[in-house]
Amino acid sequence: MTRTPQAQDAPRSFQEIILRLQTYWAARGCAVMQPYDMEVGAGTFHPATTLRSLGDRHWAAAYVQPSRRPTDGRYGDNPNRLQHYYQFQVLIKPSPPDLQNLYLGSLEAIGIDMGLHDIRFVEDDWESPTLGAWGLGWEVWCDGMEVSQFTYFQQVGGHDCRPVSGELTYGLERLAMYVLGIDHVMDMPYNDPQSPIALKYGDVFRQTEREFSRFNFDVANTEVLLRHFEEAEAECAAILAQDRTDPKTGRDIPMAHPAYDQCIKASHIFNLLDARGVISPTERQAYIGRVRTLAKACADCFVTTEAGGGAPAATAEA
Amino acid sequence: MPDLLIELFSEEIPARMQGRAAEDLKKLVTDHMVEAGLTYAAAAAFATPRRLCLAVEGLPKATRATREERKGPRADAPEKAVAGFLRSTGLTMDQLERRADKKGEVLFAVIEKPGREAAEVVAEALEQAIRNFPWPKSMRWGSGSLRWVRPLHSIICLLSDDAGPEIVPLDIDGIRAGDMTWGHRFMAPGAVQVSGFEDYRDKLAARHVVLDPAERAERIRHDADQAAFGLGMEIVEDKGLLAEVAGLVEWPVVLMGPIGEKFLGLPPEVLQTSMKEHQKFFSVRNPATGRIEKFVTVANRETADAGATILEGNGRVLAARLSDALFFWENDLRKIEREGKGMAGLEAMAAPLANVTFHNKLGSQADRIARIAALAREIAPAVGADPALAEQAAKVAKADLASEMVYEFPELQGVMGGYYARAAGLSEEVAEACAAHYAPLGPGDAAPTAPVSVAVALADKIDMLACFWCIDEKPTGSKDPFALRRAAIGIIRIITTGGVRVSLEKVLMSWAEASILMPVSYGDPRGTGVPKQRPKTFDRFLSTVAEGETSSGDFYEDQEFDLEAISTEFSDLLAFLADRLKVHLRGEGVRHDVIEACFQLGGQDDLVLLVARVKALQAFVETEDGANLLQGHRRAVNILTAEEKKDGIEYSLDPDVKFAEGAEETALFAALDAAEPKIAAALAEEDFAAAMTAMAGLRAPIDAFFEAVQVNSDNGIIRRNRLCLLNRIRVVMQRVAVFGALEG
């Protein structure tokens, strides 16, 4: 329970907060990874979380993940809502006993003075129907503001998590706005305001928010999207249907990750279709179920792999 | 006498589970102790966000030793019998005693159980409680397999008496019981050793933890009231929120802040809902303006700046939330304004409902609204509402489901509709119906009484029931996914509260006429212009007119109702309503058999009349005349049924007074002659009390008749006449109720 009683100097920009989080978690033994190179709805979709939370191999990773929520687009006008935003994600398996304190330490690291603020762990059970995953935990409030999600994964892709992973998700814009005392996200300093070329969040993202809001709501071709959804679904199944043994090398190579990429794709296309308003409530459930089927199949495959703890470590190749 | 202190210290327990968990801990541990013979004087349980605590006073040091003697088979009994005895006692042969009796030797088992140390029993009780704790949801953490609501960090299990405290040895998956606890997470995070409950409670209090949730709630209530009172304002009471907030803090600190001026124009329900649902804030009302002008938040700590930073942060979060709400509100109003005053604005708002599926066999929300509107118009005259107004109200009552505000705050459905209807300049009756048509939502919610609201509320619920009956999705057992029982109770309450005189059967038939042929859309989200279709599931209520009889070729004109199929479904629906009525009236002390006796008359689809009849009948059967008449009726029917069975014929002809013998029989004829028109007249007047009084006049003559007359006369003509007379009693009484259905 030892924490430095004094908060560190206040950060001055959005990027400094990200850098400090990376430094903090790196110092606590996490592999600092880079964003996954696909469109996802949340940091949880990164295979470093979804797949690596499965199996018995220990794991510790931290990374920033750009996330897309097409329905949240507000043309860059809303002070808090964005269709593209950043999450900072930490996943540690097995969850360490002092994870709550490690987490609180990360808040201090980004300049939140524990002596002045009111931090609360408020019940929030996490469930991802598209990933067939759930866990128990909290949303963490700082002075009434939700700054993070804190979850102990119980099941992912239909598999029980053993050991259990502890997952932390920071909504970076919201957290940074709070720490920096900014009321409108577009006004937030992106780099140091003292830089020769000082950039605000709006300088970087207002244009894209506006363009993607229009695209997501009114332009994205729904027929194409519907077709892509079906293609991704079919491709995912086709990849998993391949013989585990690669005929070319003769090695056992199940392809959980390439299949999972297709699952990610299907999920994002579904989000876009939802934003286009072409999915009725009844169909909605059906689409979610289809994505979940893919996620489960990928999880089934992953746990049979070496990284998933289902196969012995491969010996060095001749 | 030792006292016991248990603390289960964990990561934050959900507020809603704490109260129940404290009680469960108490029950599980004390039940187990008592079962094992460890009695106690008193027990109390407490919960905070991070701990469950159980304090038990006055335990014995150990349970008493017990000695039990059991007589077994004879020593020379067959091997099987002896083996069975050994198995049942858990002893071996050499542990048995042999005692001589008159015929030889008998085996005896003497089972002695020594007293057990309290610590041993407590350890066992606590371990079982932890391993079998009934959390609504529990989880694993780390590499372990223990389940708890959130990770469990430490256990205090301490027995203390005059000699001092002693830790009860206990190890659960590596967590060893001890005597250490921790103070407030931020204000006093250090560990502290405790020696017993009072020491524990006091040390926690000194470390900024109020152990008792009732005390935390009371502090919050008191401090919040004081803060509001100081400004001449009042807290909007919310007991549920108070209990929840008391479960979110160990050290409650009440802070009051202002709501930005630009948000004060939002409907108070919006402010209240947003603050409560998202922020767990209490609303502070200014009685002078009637508006909600401030908020109260409860922090979990004191700070050097007296909460200034916390309050400022909370205020900013609230402003962001309310900005959203204001944005939705203004957008919704703008949509209405764009169309000009009147219906057009709300119709524009409701337009997207055409693409919202209500049920995949029943079309869209817009289709449902069209059915309700047609039905509300039909019902209107019966409830004293203007049909045009009722139809209009039904058309706009659900428009807010497509508003941005209700999308964000679903619990504001109806309430927002009212605001939007007023903004569109619609009449107050229509605006009122928006919220009221959902009512009553539960036993504590009032049924609507304003005529237009009543018309729409009834139409809404009748459409629900009729629709789901027609697609055969009826509630079964505990399954009632569409809350049809609630809809039925709603109908009953609206009708009985307002004395609404309608024939439900006629209402249902008019629903069918309007709705069964009404084409519906199955959502057209892709804008591909799919034409509306008739629900295929309703096909069974239609019969196609033979080809050639119509010339139009129009599908709908070629269809006719299958009246029989429809009325079969609706009879079933009316019986369902009667069942709900029984449940409803049971609460008012009405016997279910009395309702059955009235309902069995058939055609009882006017619930106001039915209830009046039921109440008059119950009052009547509780009188002496009523009870005796019931006996007389039973006697008459028993004889009649027995003889009819024996003779294989029905005695349903009119009896003739000229075959009457003796004064009693003649008098019964006269009494029936006198009562019959009185009953008929009273029933025509719907005066059931008068009908009962007229019937009461039959009691004495019937009693006298059975006293003096032997029904089964040797004279066949007289016997037949008397049986027909008994039948007449049955027929006359059956005009009031089916007395045979009454019990006792």
Side-chain angles (χ1 to χ4, degrees):
Chain A
M1 306 278 282
T2 48
R3 284 195 308 274
T4 41
Q6 294 220 311
Q8 303 181 19
D9 298 351
R12 299 204 287 189
S13 66
F14 183 56
Q15 71 188 24
E16 189 181 346
I17 288 173
I18 296 176
L19 293 169
R20 285 195 191 185
L21 283 174
Q22 289 185 334
T23 309
Y24 177 86
W25 286 106
R28 268 120 202 113
C30 287
V32 174
M33 302 185 62
Q34 300 305 319
Y36 202 56
D37 59 342
M38 291 186 72
E39 298 147 310
V40 295
T44 310
F45 274 85
H46 194 308
T49 289
T50 313
L51 295 181
R52 296 292 173 150
S53 64
L54 294 166
D56 57 7
R57 294 215 164 180
H58 293 195
W59 181 256
Y63 56 89
V64 174
Q65 179 62 48
S67 306
R68 303 212 189 196
R69 299 247 164 111
T71 45
D72 278 352
R74 295 291 184 275
Y75 302 86
D77 297 335
N78 189 283
N80 308 298
R81 291 202 199 215
L82 300 160
Q83 56 82 40
H84 171 284
Y85 65 103
Y86 289 111
Q87 287 191 339
F88 190 85
Q89 176 91 359
V90 178
L91 190 87
I92 305 180
K93 179 175 74 173
S95 63
D98 59 345
L99 188 57
Q100 275 186 314
N101 283 326
L102 286 174
Y103 167 74
L104 292 171
S106 75
L107 293 187
E108 286 194 322
I110 57 171
I112 294 181
D113 179 349
M114 290 293 145
L116 289 180
H117 294 274
D118 182 32
I119 310 288
R120 228 84 75 67
F121 292 86
V122 179
E123 177 192 14
D124 190 33
D125 299 344
W126 172 77
E127 189 184 6
S128 169
T130 39
L131 288 177
W134 68 278
L136 299 190
W138 311 273
E139 47 184 51
V140 184
W141 287 13
C142 176
D143 304 336
M145 166 82 134
E146 185 196 335
V147 289
S148 306
Q149 289 274 338
F150 190 130
T151 308
Y152 292 101
F153 277 9
Q154 302 294 301
Q155 217 177 52
V156 171
H159 291 259
D160 279 350
C161 298
R162 289 178 195 275
V164 167
S165 299
E167 183 212 38
L168 305 171
T169 303
Y170 305 74
L172 282 172
E173 281 81 357
R174 204 162 7 157
L175 179 61
M177 283 168 68
Y178 195 76
V179 170
L180 300 171
I182 303 294
D183 287 327
H184 198 297
V185 62
M186 295 299 169
D187 297 335
M188 179 161 61
Y190 196 98
N191 58 2
D192 194 313
Q194 306 299 318
S195 310
I197 303 172
L199 293 171
K200 296 198 163 173
Y201 195 91
D203 297 325
V204 182
F205 285 119
R206 185 178 282 112
Q207 188 66 34
T208 52
E209 278 302 305
R210 205 174 282 156
E211 292 178 9
F212 274 102
S213 293
R214 180 177 176 199
F215 170 77
N216 294 338
F217 286 127
D218 301 316
V219 177
N221 183 328
T222 57
E223 260 177 56
V224 170
L225 288 172
L226 284 164
R227 200 174 66 233
H228 282 179
F229 182 92
E230 315 246 322
E231 285 167 0
E233 189 181 35
E235 178 75 348
C236 180
I239 294 169
L240 293 172
Q242 293 290 318
D243 191 339
R244 288 178 63 106
T245 309
D246 172 24
K248 201 167 84 191
T249 62
R251 291 159 67 183
D252 178 45
I253 312 179
M255 291 169 287
H257 289 81
Y260 182 63
D261 276 2
Q262 299 302 319
C263 170
I264 292 178
K265 228 176 242 180
S267 174
H268 177 68
I269 293 167
F270 161 70
N271 288 340
L272 272 175
L273 286 166
D274 201 23
R276 289 285 279 118
V278 299
I279 292 183
S280 75
T282 28
E283 281 180 314
R284 216 168 173 276
Q285 288 313 310
Y287 272 101
I288 289 173
R290 285 163 74 178
V291 178
R292 181 168 57 237
T293 304
L294 302 183
K296 283 188 166 173
C298 296
D300 291 347
C301 178
F302 178 74
V303 296
T304 66
T305 66
E306 183 192 324
T315 47
E317 292 306 316
Chain B
M1 298 278 265
D3 296 335
L4 170 66
L5 171 66
I6 290 172
E7 185 201 55
L8 302 173
F9 184 78
S10 68
E11 296 178 13
E12 277 74 358
I13 307 167
R16 66 189 172 91
M17 298 177 189
Q18 291 166 18
R20 179 68 198 274
E23 284 313 303
D24 284 339
L25 177 64
K26 180 164 105 180
K27 188 170 171 13
L28 287 171
V29 172
T30 56
D31 280 3
H32 187 99
M33 292 191 322
V34 169
E35 190 139 316
L38 202 63
T39 55
Y40 62 95
F46 305 94
T48 79
R50 295 212 287 165
R51 56 199 100 215
L52 296 180
C53 165
L54 174 64
V56 186
E57 283 174 27
L59 292 166
K61 280 184 186 304
T63 63
R64 284 200 196 151
T66 58
R67 183 175 195 280
E68 187 194 357
E69 230 176 61
R70 280 166 64 184
K71 186 179 173 185
R74 312 189 60 80
D76 55 1
E79 208 171 308
K80 258 192 176 172
V82 176
F85 183 61
L86 287 175
R87 208 166 33 246
S88 77
T89 56
L91 298 180
T92 54
M93 197 63 195
D94 56 337
Q95 290 173 312
L96 296 183
E97 285 182 21
R98 291 158 184 264
R99 293 185 196 165
D101 74 352
K102 284 171 248 164
K103 295 178 193 162
E105 274 186 336
V106 178
L107 296 174
F108 272 85
V110 178
I111 304 164
E112 283 187 342
K113 283 189 187 152
R116 296 173 68 200
E117 291 288 323
E120 187 189 330
V121 176
V122 165
E124 185 182 277
L126 182 54
E127 169 150 15
Q128 290 210 9
I130 291 173
R131 293 200 186 279
N132 304 307
F133 208 83
W135 291 111
K137 273 185 190 169
S138 63
M139 53 164 272
R140 293 171 288 106
W141 60 96
S143 299
S145 59
L146 184 64
R147 300 190 76 89
W148 199 244
V149 65
R150 294 292 183 276
L152 179 64
H153 282 282
S154 78
I155 299 172
I156 291 178
C157 191
L158 207 56
L159 278 169
S160 32
D161 58 14
D162 298 340
E166 201 166 318
I167 295 170
V168 174
L170 178 68
D171 184 319
I172 295 176
D173 288 23
I175 307 171
R176 283 181 60 175
D179 58 0
M180 303 294 281
T181 188
W182 284 264
H184 188 279
R185 185 188 275 288
F186 300 103
M187 297 182 74
V192 59
Q193 189 174 32
V194 299
S195 63
F197 175 68
E198 273 158 34
D199 183 49
Y200 166 79
R201 186 194 54 203
D202 296 346
K203 280 183 174 152
L204 281 183
R207 283 159 182 77
H208 303 284
V209 175
V210 179
L211 181 62
D212 186 349
E215 194 185 326
R216 293 196 301 273
E218 179 50 29
R219 275 201 201 185
I220 294 167
R221 197 200 54 75
H222 175 268
D223 292 356
D225 280 350
Q226 286 296 310
F229 182 76
L231 296 173
M233 299 198 188
E234 61 196 17
I235 302 287
V236 177
E237 192 181 317
D238 191 333
K239 288 203 173 101
L241 181 61
L242 181 60
E244 187 182 359
V245 170
L248 288 173
V249 292
E250 293 200 312
W251 192 251
V253 175
V254 165
L255 300 169
M256 184 160 73
I259 298 170
E261 188 67 35
K262 65 174 173 176
F263 305 121
L264 295 181
L266 279 168
E269 293 91 342
V270 172
L271 289 174
Q272 230 171 302
T273 307
S274 175
M275 295 203 294
K276 173 185 174 166
E277 298 301 323
H278 293 143
Q279 307 299 131
K280 321 269 185 226
F281 287 175
F282 292 92
S283 298
V284 185
R285 189 192 289 121
N286 182 351
T289 61
R291 295 189 309 189
I292 287 165
E293 296 179 357
K294 292 189 180 293
F295 68 87
V296 157
T297 182
V298 182
N300 186 32
R301 62 165 309 158
E302 293 163 19
T303 60
D305 64 354
T309 307
I310 298 174
L311 194 57
E312 200 237 313
N314 275 284
R316 267 169 55 198
V317 179
L318 180 64
R321 291 280 190 193
L322 294 182
S323 295
D324 263 0
L326 192 63
F327 174 77
F328 299 141
W329 169 244
E330 285 173 350
N331 267 3
D332 288 340
L333 290 182
R334 207 169 302 134
K335 227 169 274 168
I336 292 166
E337 274 161 25
R338 213 166 27 222
E339 304 293 327
K341 294 267 170 190
M343 285 293 283
L346 285 160
E347 277 171 353
M349 180 178 272
L353 295 178
N355 291 328
V356 177
T357 307
F358 165 61
H359 182 284
N360 58 10
K361 291 181 182 168
L362 296 166
S364 67
Q365 278 286 7
D367 299 323
R368 171 157 148 79
I369 291 168
R371 291 193 300 267
I372 296 171
L375 188 59
R377 194 185 173 90
E378 286 293 320
I379 296 173
V383 301
D386 173 26
L389 219 47
E391 184 180 2
Q392 189 188 56
K395 281 184 177 160
V396 305
K398 292 186 195 293
D400 64 355
L401 294 179
S403 71
E404 295 188 20
M405 188 69 92
V406 172
Y407 181 83
E408 192 70 10
F409 298 109
E411 58 271 62
L412 289 179
Q413 65 174 21
V415 171
M416 293 319 299
Y419 283 103
Y420 297 138
R422 281 181 202 103
L426 298 179
S427 69
E428 188 52 33
E429 291 136 292
V430 170
E432 206 179 301
C434 292
H437 91 281
Y438 289 109
L441 286 170
D445 192 25
T449 50
V452 171
S453 299
V454 168
V456 183
L458 276 179
D460 177 66
K461 292 164 180 66
I462 291 170
D463 178 67
M464 255 332 249
L465 288 175
C467 274
F468 284 100
W469 243 256
C470 284
I471 61 167
D472 203 22
E473 290 270 3
K474 305 166 189 177
T476 51
S478 58
K479 275 198 198 136
D480 184 10
F482 304 107
L484 298 180
R485 289 194 179 99
R486 188 173 78 191
I489 285 283
I491 291 170
I492 289 165
R493 283 190 50 205
I494 294 166
I495 284 180
T496 53
T497 307
V500 176
R501 299 295 307 277
V502 286
S503 155
L504 283 174
E505 194 169 354
K506 280 190 192 142
V507 170
L508 286 168
M509 288 314 289
S510 69
W511 174 87
E513 272 169 41
S515 302
I516 294 216
L517 293 183
M518 197 184 278
V520 303
S521 57
Y522 290 98
D524 184 15
R526 288 171 206 168
T528 45
V530 176
K532 290 193 161 206
Q533 297 168 6
R534 207 169 33 79
K536 290 251 182 319
T537 29
F538 287 174
D539 279 356
R540 62 196 177 110
F541 303 116
L542 301 173
S543 46
T544 308
V545 176
E547 234 173 291
E549 283 183 25
T550 58
S551 52
S552 73
D554 178 332
F555 182 83
Y556 301 116
E557 280 187 19
D558 293 348
Q559 303 287 317
E560 275 183 352
F561 279 118
D562 181 347
L563 277 176
E564 208 175 313
I566 293 175
S567 51
T568 307
E569 283 306 335
F570 288 165
S571 305
D572 186 55
L573 176 51
L574 287 173
F576 173 77
L577 277 163
D579 275 345
R580 292 295 100 197
L581 184 65
K582 281 182 205 164
V583 175
H584 176 69
L585 290 180
R586 196 185 297 148
E588 297 181 17
V590 178
R591 285 161 39 182
H592 69 97
D593 60 322
V594 171
I595 302 168
E596 193 56 39
C598 296
F599 186 71
Q600 276 187 13
L601 287 172
Q604 298 299 307
D605 67 336
D606 178 332
L607 298 185
V608 173
L609 270 195
L610 177 58
V611 170
R613 189 187 289 263
V614 163
K615 290 193 168 164
L617 179 60
Q618 169 132 352
F620 178 61
V621 296
E622 280 166 4
T623 63
E624 201 201 333
D625 275 347
N628 280 303
L629 185 63
L630 193 56
Q631 293 308 321
H633 173 269
R634 181 161 301 139
R635 198 162 165 189
V637 171
N638 283 347
I639 296 171
L640 188 59
T641 323
E643 299 307 309
E644 280 183 340
K645 197 176 167 197
K646 197 160 76 190
D647 302 347
I649 49 166
E650 268 182 41
Y651 293 101
S652 55
L653 295 173
D654 258 354
D656 195 331
V657 71
K658 76 182 179 203
F659 299 116
E661 287 182 337
E664 287 83 0
E665 193 168 1
T666 318
L668 181 53
F669 272 97
L672 284 166
D673 285 345
E676 234 181 334
K678 275 195 218 160
I679 292 172
L683 290 178
E685 295 280 313
E686 298 175 356
D687 185 346
F688 297 107
M692 300 297 164
T693 311
M695 219 167 40
L698 292 173
R699 176 220 162 165
I702 289 176
D703 284 355
F705 172 81
F706 281 121
E707 192 74 21
V709 179
Q710 175 78 34
V711 175
N712 281 324
S713 162
D714 295 337
N715 180 329
I717 294 169
I718 291 175
R719 173 173 172 270
R720 195 178 319 126
N721 196 53
R722 283 183 182 152
L723 287 168
C724 288
L725 180 61
L726 295 186
N727 181 56
R728 200 176 151 199
I729 293 175
R730 177 166 66 177
V731 169
V732 168
M733 288 180 67
Q734 193 133 323
R735 299 198 56 173
V736 179
V738 179
F739 279 79
L742 289 171
E743 294 163 2

